[in-house]
Amino acid sequence: MAKELRVGFIGGGNMAGAMIDAVLQSGLLSADSLSVFDPNTDICDSLRAKGLRIALNNSQLAQECDIVFLAVKPQIVSLVLPELCGKLDGKCLVSIAAGVSVESLRSVLGPNTDLIRVLPNTPMLVMRGATVIANPKECNSEFLDLVVQIFHAAGMVEFLDESLINAVIPVSSSSPAFFFRFVRAMAESATKNGIPYGEALRLAIETMHGAAHMMRESGKTPDELIAQVSSKGGTTVAALSAFDDRDFEGLMDDAFARCINRANELGKQ
């Protein structure tokens, strides 16, 4: 039944591209069942080459598709929604716009459109995404099942109440940038001690990759894994004392608070 549904993407940037690639690589849907509209002609040309249909505008895409992914920046949502009014009745809109609530979408689109709010992240680009779906209050099971399958094709999926979606942004959506910056800082510190940047970067990346795999597969808590690396009076304990002196956990709390506050601000625009 899923293959009879037409899926459209408003916006063809990185996140939409990751979803499209996941769908195509998994064989979940054919390219001919996918449509996209993006004002960037280069993006459209690239997706057309993959076999997707290119809509002339957002309105046409909404008319042609059963499920529409709203894959634009939060600041653009208020400009796009009016073009969709009256064209998604009996259909489904999936929003990946950070900070934009289902209530705000409903206030424009009305009661006859199924709405699903989703928080994906950029590791979807390498099929290692961690996606959070806000528990929909009412949604056609056929629509929801296909949306879940699309995100499962690009990684893991968790469900949370919508009231927690903004709070989870720094956990899984913004956090890849935290890791990237941490790895960059490791490599740059290594160069100050004579290690060539390229070698240091490769070592840091592989170590982080291995540590993440170890955390996932070992079944041990973070504290247990920290203890496993740390020996009393050793080098790791000496290094971690700098984390303590600089209040690393407090820094993380501050980063989370700023991220969540910005998400709340975006939702009011």
Side-chain angles (χ1 to χ4, degrees), residues 58-77:
N58 294 325
S59 178
Q60 182 194 44
L61 183 137
Q63 289 177 320
E64 293 179 350
C65 295
D66 303 295
I67 299 176
V68 173
F69 283 84
L70 186 60
V72 300
K73 296 183 183 301
Q75 299 90 330
I76 306 298
V77 170

Side-chain angles (χ1 to χ4, degrees), residues 28-262:
L28 187 60
L29 297 170
S30 66
D32 187 58
S33 67
L34 305 178
S35 299
V36 67
F37 173 73
D38 193 292
N40 187 315
T41 56
D42 290 337
I43 288 176
C44 290
D45 289 344
S46 174
L47 294 173
R48 183 183 288 108
K50 294 182 179 182
L52 274 72
R53 299 185 183 187
I54 306 301
L56 296 176
N57 50 50
N58 294 325
S59 178
Q60 182 194 44
L61 183 137
Q63 289 177 320
E64 293 179 350
C65 295
D66 303 295
I67 299 176
V68 173
F69 283 84
L70 186 60
V72 300
K73 296 183 183 301
Q75 299 90 330
I76 306 298
V77 170
S78 62
L79 301 177
V80 172
L81 287 181
E83 301 178 55
L84 310 181
C85 287
K87 301 175 180 65
L88 289 174
D89 289 353
K91 300 181 180 183
C92 180
L93 180 77
V94 183
S95 172
I96 68 169
V100 180
S101 69
V102 168
E103 181 181 1
S104 65
L105 298 172
R106 177 74 66 202
S107 67
V108 178
L109 296 178
N112 299 320
T113 301
D114 284 354
L115 298 173
I116 302 176
R117 184 179 174 189
V118 178
L119 186 70
N121 64 10
T122 56
M124 282 182 58
L125 293 166
V126 291
M127 305 302 164
R128 288 293 184 271
T131 297
V132 179
I133 297 177
N135 287 314
K137 294 181 179 178
E138 295 180 4
C139 186
N140 182 309
S141 61
E142 186 179 15
F143 293 153
L144 182 58
D145 288 348
L146 182 54
V147 170
V148 171
Q149 289 179 63
I150 288 172
F151 286 104
H152 260 310
M156 66 167 288
V157 175
E158 292 282 354
F159 283 84
L160 287 174
D161 289 339
E162 191 190 1
S163 62
L164 298 174
I165 293 299
N166 283 358
V168 85
I169 289 175
V171 179
S172 62
S173 183
S174 295
S175 59
F178 308 165
F179 289 102
F180 301 151
R181 185 161 177 176
F182 188 71
V183 168
R184 185 188 72 185
M186 290 173 65
E188 289 177 346
S189 290
T191 64
K192 297 172 184 176
N193 292 285
I195 308 298
Y197 183 82
E199 284 85 338
L201 185 61
R202 287 194 293 273
L203 286 167
I205 291 170
E206 287 305 311
T207 299
M208 293 289 278
H209 183 271
H213 183 79
M214 188 175 181
M215 180 170 282
R216 184 178 61 187
E217 299 298 328
S218 69
K220 295 181 178 180
T221 68
D223 284 342
E224 289 172 333
L225 291 170
I226 291 170
Q228 188 173 321
V229 184
S230 307
S231 300
K232 186 176 180 179
T235 58
T236 304
V237 171
L240 289 175
S241 68
F243 285 59
D244 297 333
D245 291 345
R246 300 295 181 90
D247 189 16
F248 179 77
E249 284 74 17
L251 170 64
M252 190 60 65
D253 287 343
D254 190 21
F256 270 48
R258 295 186 190 196
C259 183
I260 295 167
N261 288 339
R262 181 55 182 155

